[in-house]
Amino acid sequence: MTEKKEKLFDQFPPVSYEEWRAKVDADLKGVPFEKKLVWRTNEGFNVQPMYRIEDIEGLKTTDSLPGEYPYVRGTRTDNNWLTRQEIIAKDPVEANKVALDVLTKGVNSLGFTVEEPSLEVIETLLKGINLAEVEINLNTCPKKAVALAKALVEYIKKEKAEETFRGSIDFNPIRPTLRYGQELSTDIVEQAKEILDIVKDVKSIQVLAVGSVMLNTSGAYIYQELGYALAWGAEWLTLLTDAGLKVDDIAKRIKFNMGISPNYFMEIAKFRAARMLWAQIVEQYKPECKCACKMMVHAATSKFNQSIFDAHVNLLRSQTETMSAALAGVDSITVVPFDTPYKTPDAFSERIARNQQFLLKEESHLDKVVDPAGGSYYVETLTVSLAQEGWKLFLDVEDKGGFFKLAGEGVIQAAVNESNKKRHADMARRKEILLGTNQFPNFTEMAAQKIEKTESCGCGCEKTEKALCNDRQASDFEALRLATEHASNRPKVFMLTIGNLAMRLARAQFSSNFFGCAGYEIIDNIGFDTVQAGIDAAMEKNADLVVLCSSDDEYATFAPEAFELLAGRAEFVVAGAPACMEELQSKGITNFIHIRSNVLETLQAFNAKLLK
């Protein structure tokens, strides 16, 4: 007798969106669905709490396969991205030693900065490196890019590697304009044409850079990096086709160097949307081969969200960023070492950075699956939504004269700097969180002694008002803590916990994290039976600041008593925003901290009062 097998999903009848929504609305008990569960992104669109198959019906992003136009699912049929390491050593001999060493440790893509390009320097730099197996990427001052191209091509031909060489020259003539606000070069087209002519015999070398990683590092939102990168790339196509070059010869020489922000799923969507939109842009120039529509993308983890304090948390941030880029199918990735904000990365931090990619390949096998996000209701919807916002920005730039024109006028920089300012403001109010910096800091950490460098361009360039602002998001809070470290006294914050057990513990933890962001010494307590006992203990500990931690109902009694007993011997703070706040303020109590507080401004005010 054949046993009937019951299918698991037969036990779970399908639920319509209307049924699900009705249940959610009931559970919300009158709270608006859009206010409670819908996320309004910085990219300009809403994200729903749940997506279903009907949300992706009709989306064109699901119609192609990896390696097929418009390449939303990837330009290749594999996901074996290249692991790049940037070689910082300035001396060519030393740089070559470092390169040969890291090539034995799994790296298959190298990045070099060449200060004085010549055949001799290139020969020294690349000595012993198999050009058929290792991608070579060179960067130099835009004015020296022609000399670098000549030297590199001469070396490639000497090694008979014209067919096997893979790599790039980062010809980025707009970089001084974006980074330092310098005047836009007038000979960009002539330089580009000369470089393209020099490299014409080397099949797989990209020389026209789209360096939107600079925008990412300066705090641009994701849709801004996407839209501006597309406009930047289109500018190369327009300028050089107008100068008589074929679009196929131009497009294949463009390399996009993009950043990766910590917004995990949004970044996956960004790279998918970028490939799709770029393919359609190139298609409008009527290339002879669809292969010209492929986008070559190198991705680097963000420096904008790196921190000096609790710096090992940078590893967590860069790991999720790397995962985003890997899952999105980029061509190569650089993981910025965790100690970059305060020193030149050492052998240990560079090793960890390499291993972060190897973990994703050897442990998680992300290189074995192409576009695993494909078909995801959420990611496909994000891809289309982000593509729409990026396309709007792209069209706006085109309507106003193009990317180079707007950068020369400082318009691009001003827009990104406004985002930078907004993100710093959100950081100050904890709308954006950097673990270990503006939330859950390490109270005991001292960082001043480990700082070996200050952030600068390294070449003595003077910035103008048109320059991008590259202040990291953590910089304001770091300044607070460093000021505390350099002061002759480290303020002591005493938690006067009393009354309702649950509320006093919760508010003591909140207050400890709040004042720990400034590097103050935190003195927590289990609790006191009387206000007098708490004030006496605070004075015994020589507290500079006393925080009353209790429940809203009890503040009406405890706060005036504590304030009177303290009698100005220390700053007095109430943890929370109780209903009796106005009454307490009428009695002279002015300091309240709560979830709506501007953490940065509040701590800056206390620094001004307490530091000597």
Side-chain angles (χ1 to χ4, degrees):
M1 183 175 180
T2 305
E3 182 180 349
K4 183 180 180 181
K5 293 184 178 180
E6 185 176 358
K7 294 183 178 179
L8 176 62
F9 286 102
D10 289 342
Q11 301 176 31
F12 301 94
V15 177
S16 68
Y17 176 81
E18 289 71 24
E19 291 175 294
W20 175 83
R21 179 62 186 270
K23 174 61 176 171
V24 172
D25 286 337
D27 289 345
L28 287 174
K29 298 177 181 178
V31 178
F33 177 88
E34 287 74 17
K35 182 177 180 180
K36 190 70 174 178
L37 296 180
V38 176
W39 167 37
R40 180 66 179 177
T41 69
N42 290 316
E43 276 56 50
F45 56 87
N46 292 337
V47 171
Q48 300 297 321
M50 183 184 75
Y51 289 91
R52 298 162 57 93
I53 191 169
E54 53 262 35
D55 291 305
I56 66 169
E57 289 178 354
L59 295 186
K60 298 298 184 183
T61 57
T62 61
D63 292 345
S64 63
L65 295 174
E68 291 183 357
Y69 180 91
Y71 309 110
V72 63
R73 303 202 61 197
T75 58
R76 312 182 305 277
T77 55
D78 66 69
N79 193 31
N80 191 21
W81 74 88
L82 299 176
T83 300
R84 184 195 292 190
Q85 179 163 328
E86 307 298 331
I87 308 298
I88 298 174
K90 293 183 178 181
D91 176 63
V93 174
E94 182 61 29
N96 177 257
K97 289 180 181 178
V98 174
L100 292 175
D101 179 56
V102 300
L103 288 176
T104 66
K105 298 172 180 177
V107 167
N108 50 16
S109 176
L110 296 170
F112 296 99
T113 295
V114 181
E115 295 188 351
E116 296 298 333
S118 69
L119 178 59
E120 182 182 2
V121 167
I122 296 300
E123 287 178 332
T124 303
L125 203 61
L126 303 182
K127 183 179 180 181
I129 297 176
N130 188 334
L131 300 185
E133 296 181 356
V134 182
E135 184 188 65
I136 304 296
N137 303 280
L138 303 178
N139 176 40
T140 192
C141 171
K143 295 179 181 179
K144 300 176 182 178
V146 171
L148 177 59
K150 288 179 179 178
L152 178 61
V153 170
E154 187 175 352
Y155 179 75
I156 291 171
K157 290 183 175 180
K158 183 179 177 181
E159 296 293 313
K160 296 181 171 50
E162 295 97 317
E163 294 297 319
T164 57
F165 179 88
R166 292 177 301 163
S168 66
I169 294 173
D170 189 47
F171 175 54
N172 189 351
I174 202 169
R175 180 170 54 207
T177 302
L178 292 173
R179 183 168 292 173
Y180 309 118
Q182 296 180 5
E183 292 297 319
L184 192 64
S185 174
T186 58
D187 60 349
I188 290 177
V189 173
E190 293 307 313
Q191 274 189 291
K193 287 176 63 178
E194 185 174 0
I195 293 173
L196 289 172
D197 183 62
I198 292 168
V199 304
K200 65 180 183 295
D201 296 327
V202 183
K203 180 180 178 182
S204 298
I205 183 172
Q206 291 79 44
V207 294
L208 304 174
V210 174
S212 65
V213 64
M214 285 190 292
L215 309 181
N216 171 278
T217 299
S218 297
Y221 289 120
I222 294 173
Y223 83 96
Q224 288 180 308
E225 185 186 6
L226 174 59
Y228 288 142
L230 294 171
W232 192 337
E235 187 90 355
W236 281 125
L237 296 178
T238 300
L239 289 175
L240 293 171
T241 52
D242 287 350
L245 277 66
K246 294 174 58 178
V247 64
D248 296 73
D249 296 334
I250 305 164
K252 292 178 182 179
R253 302 296 187 180
I254 297 176
K255 187 161 194 175
F256 288 78
N257 298 297
M258 304 182 76
I260 321 167
S261 81
N263 197 328
Y264 183 74
F265 290 105
M266 199 80 76
E267 283 293 342
I268 296 175
K270 179 187 77 177
F271 290 113
R272 299 176 87 247
R275 286 194 298 265
M276 177 179 67
L277 294 176
W278 178 246
Q280 295 176 63
I281 289 171
V282 177
E283 179 69 10
Q284 298 306 306
Y285 288 81
K286 309 298 182 184
E288 296 177 1
C289 176
K290 287 281 190 182
C291 58
C293 300
K294 292 183 177 181
M295 185 186 226
M296 175 70 72
V297 182
H298 172 70
T301 59
S302 181
K303 294 180 181 179
F304 182 69
N305 63 353
Q306 285 193 321
S307 59
I308 292 174
F309 287 90
D310 220 346
H312 287 94
V313 181
N314 294 333
L315 294 169
L316 303 179
R317 300 180 187 118
S318 59
Q319 190 68 17
T320 60
E321 291 163 5
T322 307
M323 287 179 67
S324 294
L327 293 172
V330 302
D331 297 287
S332 56
I333 301 174
T334 293
V335 176
V336 178
F338 73 89
D339 54 357
T340 299
Y342 57 88
K343 64 182 291 189
T344 299
D346 56 26
F348 172 75
S349 62
E350 289 183 337
R351 172 173 170 262
I352 294 296
R354 292 193 299 271
N355 288 347
Q356 287 181 257
Q357 294 197 57
F358 299 151
L359 280 170
L360 298 181
K361 288 187 174 185
E362 305 302 328
E363 303 269 348
S364 302
H365 306 295
L366 298 191
D367 58 331
K368 301 298 190 293
V369 184
V370 184
D371 190 33
S376 161
Y377 308 151
Y378 180 43
V379 176
E380 294 289 5
T381 306
L382 281 184
T383 300
V384 172
S385 297
L386 194 54
Q388 290 171 342
E389 295 304 317
W391 189 251
K392 288 178 188 176
L393 183 57
F394 166 77
L395 293 178
D396 183 62
V397 173
E398 292 296 292
D399 289 344
K400 293 177 179 177
F403 185 82
F404 285 15
K405 176 178 180 292
L406 295 188
E409 296 171 354
V411 174
I412 305 294
Q413 299 90 309
V416 174
N417 288 347
E418 189 61 32
S419 298
N420 182 300
K421 182 179 178 181
K422 173 66 163 53
R423 295 185 69 182
H424 274 81
D426 287 346
M427 178 81 170
R429 292 184 175 275
R430 287 180 173 169
K431 290 183 178 180
E432 285 198 38
I433 299 294
L434 283 186
L435 187 65
T437 300
N438 72 336
Q439 184 70 287
F440 303 119
N442 181 346
F443 303 153
T444 61
E445 182 182 10
M446 300 292 174
Q449 72 280 1
K450 73 180 183 183
I451 299 175
E452 298 178 7
K453 70 174 186 179
T454 55
E455 294 169 313
S456 67
C457 67
C459 64
C461 298
E462 291 293 329
K463 284 191 171 186
T464 72
E465 60 183 11
K466 292 182 180 180
L468 285 170
C469 173
N470 57 2
D471 291 345
R472 289 177 295 104
Q473 202 169 14
S475 60
D476 297 327
F477 281 89
E478 289 169 355
L480 274 175
R481 291 198 66 167
L482 290 172
T484 300
E485 283 192 43
H486 293 310
S488 58
N489 64 311
R490 184 185 178 199
K492 295 180 179 181
V493 181
F494 186 93
M495 302 298 154
L496 200 170
T497 51
I498 189 171
N500 182 286
L501 179 62
M503 291 304 301
R504 77 191 191 201
L505 291 178
R507 281 176 163 158
Q509 183 182 50
F510 172 83
S511 302
S512 296
N513 286 323
F514 193 103
F515 288 103
C517 293
Y520 296 169
E521 180 182 344
I522 307 299
I523 305 172
D524 202 355
N525 298 282
I526 297 175
F528 296 96
D529 294 329
T530 66
V531 173
Q532 181 70 65
I535 294 296
D536 290 344
M539 293 300 94
E540 185 179 341
K541 294 288 188 179
N542 296 316
D544 299 288
L545 196 152
V546 176
V547 184
L548 182 63
C549 302
S550 189
S551 65
D552 284 6
D553 292 339
E554 294 169 299
Y555 278 144
T557 302
F558 289 150
E561 182 182 357
F563 183 65
E564 185 176 345
L565 289 171
L566 192 59
R569 290 176 289 174
E571 293 290 330
F572 182 67
V573 178
V574 172
C580 62
M581 184 185 293
E582 289 187 8
E583 180 184 343
L584 298 180
Q585 288 173 329
S586 69
K587 297 178 183 295
I589 300 172
T590 58
N591 296 320
F592 298 84
I593 60 170
H594 44 81
I595 58 173
R596 292 184 297 278
S597 295
N598 186 309
V599 182
L600 179 65
E601 290 182 359
T602 302
L603 293 177
Q604 286 173 334
F606 278 115
N607 261 16
K609 294 177 183 178
L610 300 174
L611 299 189
K612 300 176 183 178

